[in-house]
Amino acid sequence: MVKKNVCVFISGTGSNLKNLIKRSREYNFPIKIKFVVCNKENALGINYARINSIPYLVIDTKKRSYENLILLNLKKHKISFICLAGYMKILSKKFLSSFGKRVVNIHPSLLPKFKGLNTFRKVLKYKEKKSGCTVHFVDDKLDSGKIITKKKFFLKDSESERTLKIKTQKLEYLAYPEAIISIFRYS
Ligand code: GRF
C-alpha cells in the first residue's frame, strides 16, 4: 500500500495528532503523518511532532501571507491530504481551492448541531440527550462540509463539560482513524 502523505493542523493539546501518529504506524493504515502545522508557539501538541521526529511549522497568523507559507511547506513535504485536529483558524477560500476535497476536520458535536466554539456548554444548555463527534470534509463555511462519520453517546444526568469532553474525545480517537480509512478504501 502506498500511504498518502498527510499534514495535521493543530492549535492545542494535540491528542488527536498523537492518536493519528500511533495509528499511522500500522501497516494497513492508509496515511503517514509527514508534517504538522501549528498556529500557537506554546501548544503542547507540538511535542508529539518533536518526539516523533516529524517536521513542523509554527505559523504567525498575524502575518498576512501565512497561508502562502503553509502552502509552500506542504509542497516541499509532498503533502496530498490535510487533517485538521483542533486547529482554531478558518482556512481561506483561496487556500481550500488549492486542496479541493482533500481537507477534513473533527468536531466535538453531532453536526449540524452546535457548530463553532463552546460545544460542551451548548450541549448542556440545550439539555441534549445524546452527543458525540463528527468527521467531515472542510468547505469554506464553518463546520459545514460533507459528513464522513459520526459517533455518539447518551448523556447521564450528572454530565459536566469535563465529562463530556472526556467521553467525546474517547470517541474521536476511534472516529478520525475510521473516517480516514473509509476515505482511502478504494484508492
Ligand atoms: C477536539 O475535541 C476536536 O474535536 C476539536 O478540538 C479538539 C482538539 O483536541 N476540533 P486535541 O488537541 O486533539 O487534544
Side-chain angles (χ1 to χ4, degrees):
M1 169 193 278
V2 182
K3 295 194 177 208
K4 302 275 183 265
N5 289 346
V6 166
C7 178
V8 181
F9 283 40
I10 61 165
S11 298
T13 13
S15 64
N16 279 283
L17 168 65
K18 180 185 178 202
N19 183 53
L20 289 178
I21 293 172
K22 183 171 149 240
R23 294 296 308 269
S24 67
R25 298 227 169 86
E26 289 167 20
Y27 178 73
N28 277 326
F29 201 68
I31 64 162
K32 54 186 169 213
I33 316 285
K34 297 285 276 189
F35 197 51
V36 172
V37 167
C38 181
N39 67 320
K40 293 255 156 60
E41 213 175 338
N42 301 320
L44 281 175
I46 298 174
N47 289 319
Y48 297 117
R50 286 197 191 105
I51 57 181
N52 289 287
S53 306
I54 298 169
Y56 63 90
L57 173 72
V58 180
I59 38 152
D60 178 357
T61 54
K62 282 189 227 89
K63 293 220 168 91
R64 229 161 37 112
S65 58
Y66 77 89
E67 281 193 340
N68 290 337
L69 181 64
I70 299 177
L71 285 169
L72 273 175
N73 275 274
L74 296 181
K75 206 167 167 193
K76 183 173 148 202
H77 292 276
K78 298 188 171 45
I79 301 300
S80 58
F81 197 82
I82 293 172
C83 292
L84 306 181
Y87 183 63
M88 301 299 277
K89 297 295 289 185
I90 305 252
L91 296 169
S92 71
K93 261 190 188 173
K94 191 171 157 241
F95 184 96
L96 287 171
S97 67
S98 319
F99 259 83
K101 281 189 175 166
R102 295 178 294 144
V103 186
V104 291
N105 180 42
I106 187 152
H107 184 76
S109 78
L110 295 171
L111 289 174
K113 281 197 165 180
F114 310 126
K115 296 175 180 181
L117 297 174
N118 303 318
T119 318
F120 306 126
R121 198 177 306 163
K122 292 177 200 163
V123 167
L124 292 175
K125 181 174 170 199
Y126 290 96
K127 301 193 187 327
E128 292 297 301
K129 291 198 165 40
K130 57 186 184 196
S131 192
C133 65
T134 307
V135 183
H136 64 95
F137 286 104
V138 173
D139 62 16
D140 56 357
K141 288 174 222 87
L142 183 68
D143 300 324
S144 57
K146 185 170 175 265
I147 289 171
I148 305 158
T149 193
K150 293 191 207 189
K151 282 202 181 290
K152 66 168 187 283
F153 62 90
F154 289 90
L155 269 75
K156 292 189 174 142
D157 291 341
S158 57
E159 223 72 70
S160 65
E161 286 189 42
R162 195 183 69 88
T163 61
L164 284 181
K165 182 175 175 183
I166 293 168
K167 289 180 183 178
T168 306
Q169 289 214 311
K170 215 169 151 190
L171 290 183
E172 289 186 345
Y173 307 146
L174 300 172
Y176 220 162
E178 265 181 40
I180 289 167
I181 289 169
S182 80
I183 291 167
F184 295 111
R185 185 164 293 149
Y186 303 110
S187 66

